[in-house]
Amino acid sequence: MGPRTGEPLTAAPWWKQAVFYQIYPRSFADSDGDGIGDLAGIRSHLADLAWLGVDALWVSPFYRSPMTDFGYDVSDYCAVDPLFGNLDDFDALLASAHALGLKVIIDWVPNHTSDRHPWFVDARSDRSSGHRNWYVWRDGRPGGEPPNNWVAAFDLSAPSWTFDELTGQWYLHLFESTQPDLNWDEPAVVDAMHEVLRFWLDRGVDGFRADVIHGIGKDPDLPDDPGPVAGIPHCALNDVPVTHERLRDIRALIDGYPGDRVIVGEVFLLSTATVATYYGHDDELHLAFNFPPLFAPWQQHPWTDCIEQAYGALEPRDAWPTWVLSNHDNPRHRTRYDFAAALRREDESTRAARSEARARAAAVLLLTLRGTPFLYQGEELGLLDAVIPAERRVDPGGRDGCRAPIPWDGAADHGWPTAAGVEPWLPFPPESDHRNHHDQRDDNGSILHLYRRLIALRHRSPALTLGAFDLLETPEGVLGYRRTLDDDAYTVLINFTGEGVAVHTTGTMGRHGDGSGPAAGMRVEVSTTGSGEGQAFDGWLAADQVVLLRP
Ligand code: NOJ
Ligand code: MG
């Protein structure tokens, strides 16, 4: 085996070479039987993640919170919510992760606090309170209308303003009314939020995933969103120059710490070209999430467009891409792809087989693109979203399905033993009796083993980790690309269709006119159907098949 966890291939920063794994703490693993995952639960499964081969964990919020947005409503940035444990549990988790060679980044939620944060409690107590200007307050428009037409996330009929009876003004919230936006024009807010970064950097975290980071600057005039986009949640539109200044200060703070700490920003703007500006000139975010692939259907052309747009926007800036198929805010990709028309037409058993095949195909895509991949817990098991009965729905944004607990084994409790009468906070995903960590680990042919092999392959291949990316000319329905670095080279061919396709292995299909077909003289290193591995590639892709080839 070549280099693995903690041993980057080259001098490039570790986060360009790492495979990240997102942990949603409520749903990962529970240590105390209350049916809610916690920090000690995460710690007890670190060895499983090291076995999988990922390099870095992103842990979603575990801070003190009233949990109206399940932790993205923070009431104390420097304390662990008792549901998840305490600071000692965090320190133990970090130490154990580091001992296994795993880096840990944590969520930082700088755009808004909880309405129960002491800062906001004070701010709303009186117009002259010391924290009043830490939030965004305005008088309403005549007729009791909110100050502008901005719409909040989740509920498109809701303004992003709430009227505060006691002090007679409106406060801004791009998300729920329980999540008032901080006012980053107030220097004391900047200081306080920088202090939060230092608190965790001093504890040894390897960096941050910054929530809604493009929200920390607002147009000082708070103008109405213009006609064509009015009605789209303002958080998907907010893009103002002052944010970049603030990001440069944040970056300088983080870079001031030893050991290559990283900040990955959630810039929820749907144009990749705009997202690219948040890397600055290597002086703002180290990495930014790019969301179009998270919404792209499983089809050749939308994926080709996503790839070309990402590389086209980022490469001129020397900015390093990221790739995400699933996260805690959206239906899992396997679920999304299943609902697409192509599979809805199939009979039950064909549909199940194609669904699994596409989950495997997507794994190869994610782990062979140029850029840092982020896995979402459970995708390595090929999990589907849970079906949540109406009486168990808890999230205002309707995101419960992808937040179902991880099934660790095939026992009735799936590794979540709870006290009598207590159930895990959400139901398990479908198929958990066999689609669970334990059973898949016993089965070399499982999707879990495919993820593990792909991660290991990526780690020992300079081409797959850092190499150039070139699209190949391919038949309709097939995406092909080559990754190369010096004499290391791989070719990936992805059949997005439900039909077999012939791919020329000779001829002049190489985009760069080098006279060789995309698969000339190649050997099959990985095949998602398992067939043909170790043999010369015969030029035939079965339905939904992906092959990873090398010369
Ligand atoms: C993005 C987070 O991913 C999401 O879960 C949260 O609801 C919003 N930001 C608000 O913090
Ligand atoms: Mg618990």
Side-chain angles (χ1 to χ4, degrees):
M1 276 289 211
R4 49 142 298 126
T5 307
E7 297 169 41
L9 277 175
T10 72
W14 64 269
W15 41 266
K16 290 190 178 176
Q17 306 181 58
V19 174
F20 278 75
Y21 184 97
Q22 181 191 354
I23 292 182
Y24 192 70
R26 291 182 80 86
S27 309
F28 187 69
D30 181 24
S31 73
D32 60 358
D34 66 352
I36 297 177
D38 44 49
L39 296 180
I42 299 173
R43 185 163 171 241
S44 71
H45 283 285
L46 289 176
D48 296 326
L49 299 175
W51 173 85
L52 178 60
V54 297
D55 307 276
L57 312 179
W58 150 29
V59 186
S60 281
F62 47 80
Y63 314 108
R64 194 178 284 276
S65 164
M67 304 287 167
T68 64
D69 190 15
F70 298 106
Y72 283 96
D73 50 324
V74 181
S75 57
D76 184 344
Y77 289 100
C78 299
V80 173
D81 194 275
L83 266 183
F84 298 124
N86 56 39
L87 277 174
D88 290 339
D89 294 317
F90 180 79
D91 291 341
L93 170 60
L94 189 62
S96 299
H98 283 167
L100 286 165
L102 294 163
K103 309 264 191 196
V104 178
I105 71 168
I106 60 175
D107 237 293
W108 178 54
V109 188
N111 178 69
H112 47 265
T113 68
S114 160
D115 61 345
R116 313 249 199 105
H117 195 296
W119 301 338
F120 190 72
V121 172
D122 183 47
R124 79 189 314 180
S125 67
D126 191 304
R127 284 203 193 193
S128 65
S129 86
H131 289 96
R132 184 70 174 181
N133 195 43
W134 286 41
Y135 295 86
V136 183
W137 297 95
R138 290 290 185 280
D139 294 330
R141 288 191 287 202
E145 292 292 308
N148 69 18
N149 71 351
W150 292 2
V151 169
F154 307 143
D155 177 359
L156 300 190
S157 60
S160 60
W161 296 92
T162 290
F163 185 68
D164 181 56
E165 295 286 345
L166 180 69
T167 58
Q169 282 189 309
W170 299 73
Y171 65 86
L172 177 67
H173 53 88
L174 297 189
F175 292 86
E176 295 281 295
S177 59
T178 54
Q179 295 165 290
D181 276 39
L182 282 163
N183 174 19
W184 277 71
D185 295 338
E186 165 58 52
V189 165
V190 178
D191 288 348
M193 292 308 289
H194 283 192
E195 215 33 65
V196 172
L197 292 173
R198 287 194 199 94
F199 176 85
W200 293 103
L201 288 165
D202 289 339
R203 285 200 114 76
V205 301
D206 299 291
F208 302 93
R209 176 270 190 187
D211 189 67
V212 205
I213 190 68
H214 59 296
I216 64 172
K218 306 273 173 11
D219 186 320
D221 299 331
L222 302 175
D224 275 349
D225 284 328
V229 294
I232 296 178
H234 185 76
C235 64
L237 304 169
N238 193 78
D239 176 38
V240 296
V242 69
T243 306
H244 298 279
E245 264 170 54
R246 291 174 185 161
L247 278 174
R248 287 192 284 277
D249 293 341
I250 290 164
R251 170 71 175 260
L253 185 162
I254 291 173
D255 283 354
Y257 276 76
D260 260 355
R261 319 281 174 115
V262 68
I263 178 162
V264 187
E266 183 203 29
V267 182
F268 194 83
L269 296 168
L270 289 180
S271 145
T272 304
T274 312
V275 172
T277 65
Y278 286 79
Y279 287 77
H281 301 279
D282 195 19
D283 57 357
E284 298 184 30
L285 298 172
H286 295 98
L287 294 174
F289 288 125
N290 179 37
F291 288 109
L294 193 73
F295 303 109
W298 187 248
Q299 291 165 16
Q300 178 203 359
H301 292 292
W303 265 100
T304 309
D305 291 349
C306 280
I307 291 168
E308 289 192 312
Q309 274 162 25
Y311 295 153
L314 297 177
E315 267 163 19
R317 296 180 165 264
D318 231 352
W320 188 250
T322 62
W323 296 100
V324 186
L325 296 174
S326 290
N327 66 19
H328 66 294
D329 286 332
N330 296 282
R332 288 180 175 278
H333 61 275
R334 186 167 161 230
T335 300
R336 276 187 286 119
Y337 299 159
D338 278 13
F339 276 102
L343 285 202
R344 259 189 282 132
R345 285 194 299 269
E346 309 274 15
D347 66 62
E348 202 46 47
S349 75
T350 314
R351 179 177 165 159
R354 292 202 59 196
S355 166
E356 169 79 21
R358 286 160 38 140
R360 289 173 187 239
V364 183
L365 174 66
L366 179 68
L367 290 164
T368 57
L369 286 170
R370 175 179 163 87
T372 299
F374 284 75
L375 275 52
Y376 175 52
Q377 63 180 30
E379 76 169 74
E380 74 281 15
L381 304 173
L383 291 185
L384 285 164
D385 281 8
V387 177
I388 316 285
E391 69 279 7
R392 292 194 67 181
R393 291 187 193 142
V394 289
D395 176 48
R399 299 164 293 183
D400 299 320
C402 64
R403 298 176 176 178
I406 296 299
W408 288 101
D409 58 40
D413 66 14
H414 299 305
W416 288 68
T418 47
V422 177
E423 276 188 295
W425 74 291
L426 286 172
F428 286 97
E431 314 172 325
S432 290
D433 56 334
H434 60 276
R435 197 177 281 284
N436 58 64
H437 183 88
H438 179 270
D439 288 12
Q440 291 207 21
R441 197 152 159 175
D442 272 356
D443 171 7
N444 274 322
S446 66
I447 187 169
L448 176 63
H449 276 268
L450 176 66
Y451 268 89
R452 182 169 186 255
R453 276 178 70 200
L454 290 166
I455 293 169
L457 197 58
R458 186 177 171 103
H459 283 150
R460 58 174 191 267
S461 162
L464 288 176
T465 306
L466 293 164
F469 176 98
D470 290 289
L471 278 177
L472 301 170
E473 281 182 32
T474 44
E476 187 59 27
V478 174
L479 171 65
Y481 51 88
R482 187 179 295 156
R483 302 289 317 277
T484 42
L485 189 78
D486 300 331
D487 55 2
D488 187 31
Y490 280 91
T491 291
V492 179
L493 296 172
I494 300 174
N495 182 0
F496 282 91
T497 76
E499 320 272 307
V501 185
V503 182
H504 295 284
T505 54
T506 56
T508 53
M509 293 176 69
R511 180 169 273 207
H512 300 285
D514 56 6
S516 62
M522 296 279 203
R523 206 170 49 77
V524 181
E525 178 88 21
V526 174
S527 154
T528 51
T529 60
S531 71
E533 283 185 1
Q535 296 164 24
F537 180 55
D538 64 2
W540 181 254
L541 287 174
D544 303 303
Q545 188 185 10
V546 175
V547 290
L548 182 61
L549 309 174
R550 66 180 320 184

